[in-house]
């Protein structure tokens, strides 16, 4: 059985694995992981989106327990919808009262969303070890409107190894103003081998 912790999350290989782990982790995620490890990607993504003058309606992809929604809400960004493969984590997100709508969705498939619905798409911690690969960008572009702003984190270790750099090259006629910058995932309080883990924040617009 995959343990509900960071190493367990990095070991995920299938959507079914993700569903099981995050269902088990949902109630304790905010305290046992986010707060305990100084997880700061949600705030970093929200700030990148707001700094680039992002507007709603926004889709929070892999919304989890709603940490990105909370950060966006604090910056005055609204309305926000959230999607995740796990209904258990969405139940936690709903209690934070910062989402207009929350719905289950598998990013390796098709979302139950009409073309061109969103003016913004954000995500923290979804594009990483064993979670969702760059092929999901096609679906996110489908549900976003022309000119929609994206702010997505991608685990830096896998940015090239798992094909994210290649995918951005392939999407060069569909995205514009691509800006990539690295950030530290945690605030330095972790005392294990992940303390220096980094993510790439990709900010761009749909052409």
């Amino acid at each position: 059985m995959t343990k509900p912790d960071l190493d367990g999350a990095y070991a995920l290989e299938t959507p079914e694995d993700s569903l099981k782990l995050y269902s088990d982790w949902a109630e304790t995620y905010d305290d046992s992981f986010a707060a305990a490890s100084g997880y700061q990607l949600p705030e970093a993504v929200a700030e990148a989106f707001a700094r680039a003058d992002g507007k709603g309606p926004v889709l929070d992809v892999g919304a989890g327990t709603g940490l990105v929604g909370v950060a966006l809400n604090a910056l005055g960004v609204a309305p926000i919808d959230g999607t995740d493969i796990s209904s258990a984590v969405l139940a936690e997100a709903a209690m934070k009262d910062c989402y207009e709508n929350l719905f289950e969705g598998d990013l390796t498939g098709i979302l139950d969303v009409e073309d061109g619905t969103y003016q913004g798409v954000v995500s923290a911690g979804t594009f990483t070890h064993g979670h969702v690969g760059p092929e999901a960008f096609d679906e996110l572009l489908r549900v976003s409107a022309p000119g929609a702003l994206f702010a997505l984190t991608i685990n830096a270790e896998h940015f090239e190894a798992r094909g994210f750099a290649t995918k951005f090259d392939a999407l060069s006629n569909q995205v514009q103003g691509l800006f990539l910058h690295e950030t530290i995932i945690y605030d330095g309080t972790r005392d294990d081998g992940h303390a220096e883990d980094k993510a790439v924040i990709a900010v761009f617009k749909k052409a």
Side-chain angles (χ1 to χ4, degrees), residues 50-109:
R51 193 163 50 243
D53 202 27
K55 300 288 192 297
V58 182
L59 179 62
D60 180 7
V61 176
T65 60
L67 299 178
V68 174
V70 170
L72 285 173
N73 188 262
L75 294 171
V77 177
I80 311 163
D81 289 353
T83 187
D84 199 282
I85 197 171
S86 168
S87 60
V89 294
L90 291 178
E92 297 295 318
M95 290 190 285
K96 293 181 170 68
D97 294 324
C98 56
Y99 291 94
E100 189 84 7
N101 300 291
L102 291 163
F103 61 95
E104 291 179 47
D106 180 355
L107 290 175
T108 66

Side-chain angles (χ1 to χ4, degrees), residues 93-163:
M95 290 190 285
K96 293 181 170 68
D97 294 324
C98 56
Y99 291 94
E100 189 84 7
N101 300 291
L102 291 163
F103 61 95
E104 291 179 47
D106 180 355
L107 290 175
T108 66
I110 303 298
L111 298 176
D112 187 18
V113 176
E114 294 185 4
D115 294 0
T117 297
Y118 293 102
Q119 293 293 333
V121 178
V122 297
S123 182
T126 299
F127 298 99
T128 184
H129 304 252
H131 285 57
V132 181
E135 64 279 353
F137 289 0
D138 296 315
E139 180 64 0
L140 299 183
L141 286 166
R142 180 189 70 79
V143 302
S144 60
L149 181 71
F150 285 67
L152 312 172
T153 71
I154 302 160
N155 188 278
E157 182 181 346
H158 294 292
F159 185 76
E160 293 196 16
R162 299 212 172 188

